[in-house]
Amino acid sequence: MPTELDRRAFLQSAAVATVAAATGARTALAQSDAPSAARPVVIASANGTNATAKAADMIASGADPLDAVVAGVGLVEADPNDHSVGLGGLPNEDGVVELDASVMHGPTHRAGAVAALRNIVHPAAVAQRVLERTDHVLLVGEGALRFARAHGFPETELLTDEARRIWLHWKETHSERDDWIAPPAGDKAQSWLQHVQTFTYGTINCCAVDAAGNVAGVTTTSGLSYKIPGRVGDSPIIGAGLYVDNAVGAAGATGRGEAVILNAGSFSVVEQMRGGLAPQDACLAVLKRISDRTKDPRLLDANGKPNYQVYFYAITRDGRYGSAAMWSNFGRRAEFSIYAAGRNRTEDAACLYEGRPA
Ligand code: GLY
């Protein structure tokens, strides 16, 4: 006999099917709606393939899922070639790298976060220390740096030469109403010019569930490139860029943080899963809500759809997973990293809208 939960899940799936029909939302069939007997499952943004592999390995060796995901994203934070996070992250408009990160641990329902943190390669590890060694959830700016120093985190110049050149190119070319002069054409190699003109919200989120169904997550980022100094995105805001509930699962976000904050994005995804939606459908439902609530003409394309990208990544405590993006190809194909059933790989994310903004 169907339970109330079954009935709600059926009604909500029908609602998502209606959303999909109305928007042309693409579902990605490879994503898993079946409980996985083969936990651990670790999900991450597309730049997190090394992170999912490392975290899964650690969990298989008995590590707590929080230690595992923080160690996993640490590989990306330390990679100078990833300009979205940690060392080599793109700086604020003054050329200073400011990092945001949060962690959340399902079994204890505790969280820690840092925002606008300078000079520390591993903000996620500092966020974990906030969780473990303070009675607070979020430390910002100078206070976060002093806390990191107190715990012995080494200070490092995070602005690599390549990131400085990208920022300088942006600074010299983004306006003709200042005194900076653009460099000569062909001045620089093309490989990094792609980063210059578009603002980027690159970030890494990674969530994991172990064999016992314990869940944890982390989100870490250098935030919006060329931001106003002090700007804080969704990544360190519990409920926005990350949320974990050990009774349900976990969700995280990347992309335009302001949109995710305004819709309590990751919390909303977890609540949709609590209500019975599968992870991918929960991600799509919240993307639809964000799209519907985007009213500012500045943020709409020629067809009235959001002109920005947002991704959600979600897992359940029984090992189901899914991811969805606002757009299927916003400069790059919408994908995510996943370790499940003993294999580490990338899969296509579902999308609310095909293609890119008009
Ligand atoms: N989602 C990253 C940011 O907006 O800072």
Side-chain angles (χ1 to χ4, degrees):
M1 170 146 168
T3 64
E4 175 59 18
L5 202 61
D6 293 335
R7 196 181 73 82
R8 251 189 300 155
F10 172 77
L11 290 174
Q12 295 203 348
S13 289
V16 165
T18 307
V19 166
T23 63
R26 180 190 78 189
T27 54
L29 296 178
Q31 300 187 29
S32 169
D33 288 345
S36 170
R39 291 175 299 197
V41 174
V42 188
I43 192 168
S45 40
N47 57 345
T49 311
N50 292 339
T52 49
K54 167 101 182 160
D57 210 37
M58 285 180 63
I59 293 170
S61 303
D64 184 279
L66 180 58
D67 292 333
V69 293
V70 170
V73 299
L75 300 175
V76 187
E77 290 173 327
D79 178 358
N81 296 316
D82 188 315
H83 292 303
S84 70
V85 57
L87 181 67
L90 291 181
N92 65 23
E93 67 179 14
D94 292 342
V96 178
V97 181
E98 291 187 333
L99 305 176
D100 297 339
S102 64
V103 300
M104 193 159 183
H105 185 236
T108 55
H109 202 72
R110 290 177 67 188
V114 290
L117 175 63
R118 300 181 176 191
N119 295 350
I120 303 289
V121 175
H122 292 298
V126 183
Q128 184 176 5
R129 209 58 67 90
V130 172
L131 176 156
E132 291 167 349
R133 301 289 286 272
T134 78
D135 187 37
H136 306 318
V137 171
L138 173 61
L139 297 180
V140 305
E142 177 63 20
L145 179 57
R146 283 162 57 180
F147 174 79
R149 273 190 203 127
H151 278 277
F153 285 88
E155 287 182 69
T156 309
E157 173 55 76
L158 299 176
L159 188 69
T160 58
D161 196 50
E162 183 168 272
R164 181 191 59 75
R165 284 154 53 140
I166 294 169
W167 163 77
L168 184 62
H169 195 102
W170 167 79
K171 187 141 184 101
E172 290 180 336
T173 57
H174 82 284
S175 170
E176 293 183 351
R177 300 177 61 199
D178 60 27
D179 294 331
W180 295 79
I181 296 175
D187 175 53
K188 300 287 182 270
Q190 292 296 316
S191 61
W192 52 260
L193 279 178
Q194 53 170 317
H195 296 290
V196 176
Q197 296 303 346
T198 50
F199 282 76
T200 155
Y201 296 92
T203 298
I204 177 165
N205 164 256
C206 184
C207 295
V209 56
D210 70 11
N214 289 316
V215 186
V218 58
T219 303
T220 176
T221 186
S222 50
L224 173 63
S225 56
Y226 326 130
K227 60 195 172 188
I228 296 173
R231 177 265 188 187
V232 172
D234 58 321
S235 304
I237 308 296
I238 297 300
L242 178 68
Y243 194 70
V244 175
D245 184 330
N246 222 44
V248 179
T254 61
R256 182 179 161 80
E258 283 73 9
V260 176
I261 292 171
L262 288 171
N263 293 279
S266 295
F267 176 77
S268 299
V269 171
V270 170
E271 288 306 296
Q272 294 287 351
M273 294 194 295
R274 190 194 310 280
L277 284 194
Q280 178 182 285
D281 291 343
C283 295
L284 282 169
V286 178
L287 289 166
K288 176 73 168 71
R289 185 182 297 170
I290 291 176
S291 177
D292 289 347
R293 290 178 180 173
T294 301
K295 309 288 185 197
D296 190 337
R298 194 172 54 83
L299 298 174
L300 296 173
D301 76 357
N303 297 320
K305 294 173 178 164
N307 62 12
Y308 54 82
Q309 181 67 303
V310 170
Y311 285 79
F312 287 111
Y313 316 88
I315 54 171
T316 59
R317 69 186 314 275
D318 60 8
R320 291 170 292 147
Y321 66 88
S323 171
M326 186 74 76
W327 293 98
S328 66
N329 198 330
F330 195 91
R332 60 169 294 170
R333 184 185 175 84
E335 293 177 320
F336 65 103
S337 304
I338 184 73
Y339 177 97
R343 271 197 322 117
N344 197 52
R345 65 230 185 229
T346 56
E347 288 186 9
D348 283 346
C351 66
L352 189 63
Y353 301 124
E354 280 293 341
R356 56 179 306 149

